[in-house]
């Protein structure tokens, strides 16, 4: 369907075109090129972590992160069900079991109280997400729980690059974290992922996992030297064309985030007199609005989505609970009862928001919601 107002548009400029064109025209280093290394360096500086390694996409990065930290058969990893399915599936890839914990109502992060209840002698890690550009406000509590129980804290930071709690960026709270550069993220290369960590040991393991377990002292594709294979690994490298595009986007991330926050402020203003719950605002958090998600009543949400569709306005539910999908419920026999997750999932609706969005577009969407509510 061709939408009058789509859920997202990708922000781009001449700098993006220029850097990709330069990579194409040089005719070499399309894999493991200098842009990959530079992107890792600049992401590391931006996030304040010692090491960053790029990956083909967020899911491959999650899988490699778990493996690098020794997650495997007989282990359990506590995750939210209110997230994209990759968060849980990546745990299954390792042979471990995802264990679902409930979420808190403000920022939709993992609820520390329920996390404590889900810890067993098999638990190896806690893996929270930062939802839709909003930092999980209880991430420090989750870090304390992990430390008290000798567990790993691994952040799924796919949606919230640039978000902060008290000036500390998401992706820098845990032992390692994952980033995603999929098409609808804060900055994007269409696809792409990364892992951040302060551990040199984990960084070295990730390098092997990313390229077939191959020890690379120099660029494999530009060298005639024989290189040994010392462990099992995967083909999880990020192409240089994508790295170059993400690098260009990273260099304007502050402007992109500013534009997103301006659009969110307009929504807050136009929707202030309507009975909907807005995304959270709190003096401790810096929201970057990868999504603008409202809550309405469960009995009107689907009807509102259909009404907006008739106006040519795209909206979407992020997220339906993972534990209620066919695969987890019927094939894997999960029967969790997660009251906050299920309640919130029935109410949320994500509205269009993107950098460079026109005020008139937000006014049209808000007006359509007001008309529906009448």
């Amino acid at each position: 369907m061709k939408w009058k107002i789509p859920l997202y548009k990708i922000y781009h400029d001449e700098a993006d075109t220029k850097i990709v064109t330069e990579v194409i025209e040089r005719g070499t280093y399309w894999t493991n090129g200098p842009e990959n290394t530079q992107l890792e360096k600049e992401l590391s500086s931006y996030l304040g972590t010692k090491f960053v390694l790029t990956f083909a996409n967020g899911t491959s990065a999650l899988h490699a992160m778990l493996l690098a930290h020794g997650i495997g058969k007989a282990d359990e990893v506590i995750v939210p069900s209110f997230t994209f399915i990759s968060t849980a599936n990546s745990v299954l890839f390792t042979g471990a079991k995802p264990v679902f914990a409930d979420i808190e109502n403000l920022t939709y992060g993992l609820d520390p109280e329920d996390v404590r209840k889900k810890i067993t002698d098999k638990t190896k890690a806690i893996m929270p997400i930062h939802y839709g550009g909003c930092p999980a406000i209880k991430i420090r509590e989750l870090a304390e729980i992990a430390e008290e129980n000798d567990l790993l804290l691994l952040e799924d930071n796919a949606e919230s690059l640039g978000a902060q709690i008290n000036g500390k960026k998401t992706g820098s709270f845990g032992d390692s974290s994952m980033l995603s550069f999929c098409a609808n993220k804060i900055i994007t290369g269409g696809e792409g992922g990364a892992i951040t960590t302060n551990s040199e040991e984990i960084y070295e393991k990730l390098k092997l996992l990313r390229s077939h377990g191959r020890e690379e002292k120099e660029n494999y594709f530009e060298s005639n030297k024989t290189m040994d294979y010392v462990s099992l690994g995967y083909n999880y490298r990020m192409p240089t064309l994508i790295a170059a595009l993400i690098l260009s986007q990273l260099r304007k991330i502050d402007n992109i985030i500013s534009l997103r926050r301006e659009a969110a402020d307009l929504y807050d203003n136009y929707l202030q007199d309507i009975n909907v719950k807005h995304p959270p605002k709190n003096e401790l958090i810096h929201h970057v609005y990868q999504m603008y998600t409202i809550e309405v009543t469960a009995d009107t949400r689907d009807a509102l989505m259909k009404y907006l569709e008739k106006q040519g306005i795209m909206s979407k539910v992020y997220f339906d609970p993972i534990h209620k999908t066919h695969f987890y419920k019927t094939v894997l026999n999960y029967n969790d009862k997660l009251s906050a997750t299920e309640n919130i999932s029935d109410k949320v609706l994500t509205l269009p928001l993107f950098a460079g969005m026109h005020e008139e577009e937000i006014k049209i969407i808000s007006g359509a919601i007001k008309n529906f509510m009448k």
Side-chain angles (χ1 to χ4, degrees), residues 131-148:
Y131 175 86
C134 182
I137 198 165
K138 297 191 176 182
I139 188 69
R140 294 185 193 275
E141 282 186 59
L142 295 171
E144 289 171 4
I145 293 170
E147 186 174 0
E148 289 167 7

Side-chain angles (χ1 to χ4, degrees), residues 64-180:
M65 179 174 71
L66 291 163
L67 290 174
H69 281 281
I71 306 295
K73 291 181 180 178
D75 293 330
E76 294 178 351
V77 178
I78 298 174
V79 298
S81 179
F82 188 73
T83 179
F84 184 59
I85 200 164
S86 173
T87 307
N89 282 357
S90 62
V91 178
L92 292 177
F93 296 162
T94 70
K97 179 183 179 182
V99 174
F100 295 117
D102 218 343
I103 56 175
E104 39 84 10
N105 288 292
L106 180 62
T107 63
Y108 307 152
L110 277 176
D111 178 4
E113 185 177 338
D114 198 48
V115 167
R116 287 185 186 277
K117 295 175 184 177
K118 300 299 170 68
I119 295 172
T120 71
D121 57 2
K122 294 181 179 180
T123 307
K124 188 76 173 282
I126 303 168
M127 192 159 69
I129 73 157
H130 300 282
Y131 175 86
C134 182
I137 198 165
K138 297 191 176 182
I139 188 69
R140 294 185 193 275
E141 282 186 59
L142 295 171
E144 289 171 4
I145 293 170
E147 186 174 0
E148 289 167 7
N149 292 274
D150 195 24
L151 303 174
L152 296 162
L153 182 68
L154 305 174
E155 294 174 78
D156 181 337
N157 194 32
E159 300 172 2
S160 299
L161 177 60
Q164 303 173 38
I165 299 179
N166 258 358
K168 185 175 173 64
K169 288 189 172 73
T170 56
S172 64
F173 287 90
D175 295 278
S176 294
S177 75
M178 178 274 275
L179 304 173
S180 171

Side-chain angles (χ1 to χ4, degrees), residues 260-270 281 289 292 353:
R260 286 178 171 273
R261 285 171 59 84
E262 288 173 13
D265 285 343
L266 287 170
Y267 265 125
D268 287 345
N269 181 54
Y270 280 114
K281 283 192 174 179
Y289 296 97
Y292 190 92
L353 187 144

Side-chain angles (χ1 to χ4, degrees), residues 2 9 26 57 69 90 116 134 211 238 284 311 357:
K2 187 171 177 61
K9 291 180 183 177
R26 75 174 175 232
N57 51 58
H69 281 281
S90 62
R116 287 185 186 277
C134 182
S211 284
M238 176 188 286
L284 296 177
Q311 316 304 312
M357 193 172 187

Side-chain angles (χ1 to χ4, degrees), residues 26 28-29 31-40 219 240 247:
R26 75 174 175 232
T28 187
Y29 284 101
T31 301
N32 289 355
E35 291 79 7
N36 293 74
T37 303
Q38 189 62 28
L39 173 58
E40 291 166 353
N219 192 317
T240 304
L247 177 60

Side-chain angles (χ1 to χ4, degrees), residues 5-19:
I5 305 178
L7 195 65
Y8 71 93
K9 291 180 183 177
I10 296 171
Y11 185 89
H12 60 92
D13 58 20
E14 290 182 4
D16 297 335
T17 304
K18 183 174 183 291
I19 196 169

Side-chain angles (χ1 to χ4, degrees), residues 31-58:
T31 301
N32 289 355
E35 291 79 7
N36 293 74
T37 303
Q38 189 62 28
L39 173 58
E40 291 166 353
K41 180 180 177 181
E42 293 190 24
L43 276 171
S44 177
S45 175
Y46 180 75
L47 290 168
T49 57
K50 289 182 180 178
F51 304 102
V52 172
L53 205 66
T54 55
F55 282 81
N57 51 58

